[in-house]
Amino acid sequence: MMTGMASSFSGEITRLAGEKLIPLLLMGAATAFILGVGMTVTAAYILLAIVLAPALIGLGLDPIAVHLFILYWGMISFITPPVALGAFAAASLAGATPMRTGFEAMRLGSVIYFLPFFFVLNPALVLHGDAITILLEVGSAIVGIVLIASGLQGHLVLLGSFSTDIRSMAARIVLIAGGLALAYPEMASNIAGLAALPAAAILRRQSSD
C-alpha cells in the first residue's frame, strides 16, 4: 500500500510541476514543511523519503542531496512561526515571549531556508566530484552563505551595519542575490556573485555619506 502511495504521489507531484526542477523543488519544500509541522523530524523524514524522494531523484538529482533536502525542510518548522516548537520550548526555558522568540529564531536561522536548495543544485556540496571541484564549490558556497546572511541580518564584516535607507536596502538585496549566485555551480554566476560584494560596499558607502 505504501509503495503504491509513493508511486502515485511522486507521479502526481512531478506532473503538477511539469517535470521542471525548480517548481518541483518548491513543491517538495512546501510538502516537507507542512508534514514537518505535525510530525516529529524522524517520522516526517521517513514518510518523505518514501513519497517525495523518488520524484526528485527521478529528475536526476543526487540521492544524498535529495535526502538532505527533505530532512532539512522537514525540520524547518521547528524554528518557523506559528509552530516553531523548538523556539517555543527555548522561550519557556528563558522566560521569553514565545512568538517573538520564534521570529527571532527564524531571523537568525534564515540561511537554512536556502541551504537545502544549494545541496540539490550543487552535488559537490555533498562531496560528490573531484577534490578540486569540491574545494572550489564548497568555498564559493561558504562565501555565498556569508553574503546571504549579511544581507538578511543587515551587517557585513569590515563594512559594519547597514542603515534603513534606500541605498542600504539595495545593498542588502545585492548581497542576497550575490550569495545565491555564488551557490549556483556555474562560473558566470560565481563571478556575478563575487561582483556583488564591491557593489554592496559602494552602495553602503554612498548611504553613509
Side-chain angles (χ1 to χ4, degrees), residues 38-197:
M39 305 172 68
T40 63
V41 174
T42 304
Y45 168 72
I46 292 173
L47 179 59
L48 291 167
I50 296 172
V51 302
L52 180 59
L56 298 175
I57 296 174
L59 287 184
L61 297 176
D62 182 84
I64 294 178
V66 166
H67 284 272
L68 283 173
F69 179 86
I70 60 178
L71 176 64
Y72 268 65
W73 271 103
M75 66 182 182
I76 279 177
S77 64
F78 278 70
I79 64 167
T80 306
V83 183
L85 295 178
F88 288 179
S92 65
L93 293 174
T97 305
M99 192 59 70
R100 183 176 180 181
T101 303
F103 281 110
E104 186 66 14
M106 183 179 178
R107 186 181 72 85
L108 293 175
S110 52
V111 172
I112 199 176
Y113 295 92
F114 299 94
L115 198 57
F117 291 95
F118 295 172
F119 289 146
V120 293
L121 294 175
N122 193 350
L125 298 182
V126 292
L127 306 184
H128 279 195
D130 59 87
I132 299 299
T133 300
I134 290 173
L135 288 174
L136 290 175
E137 295 298 340
V138 170
S140 65
I142 290 174
V143 176
I145 289 172
V146 170
L147 293 185
I148 292 172
S150 299
L152 292 171
Q153 304 301 326
H155 182 89
L156 183 61
V157 177
L158 301 180
L159 289 182
S161 298
F162 293 87
S163 60
T164 56
D165 64 2
I166 295 178
R167 285 192 175 90
S168 290
M169 295 303 295
R172 294 175 65 175
I173 293 173
V174 167
L175 286 175
I176 295 172
L180 293 173
L182 277 169
Y184 194 75
E186 292 288 344
M187 182 60 69
S189 65
N190 289 344
I191 293 174
L194 289 174
L197 187 55

Side-chain angles (χ1 to χ4, degrees), residues 24-36 48 52 69 73 117:
L24 184 58
L25 288 176
L26 293 174
M27 293 176 64
T31 303
F33 177 81
I34 292 171
L35 289 177
L48 291 167
L52 180 59
F69 179 86
W73 271 103
F117 291 95

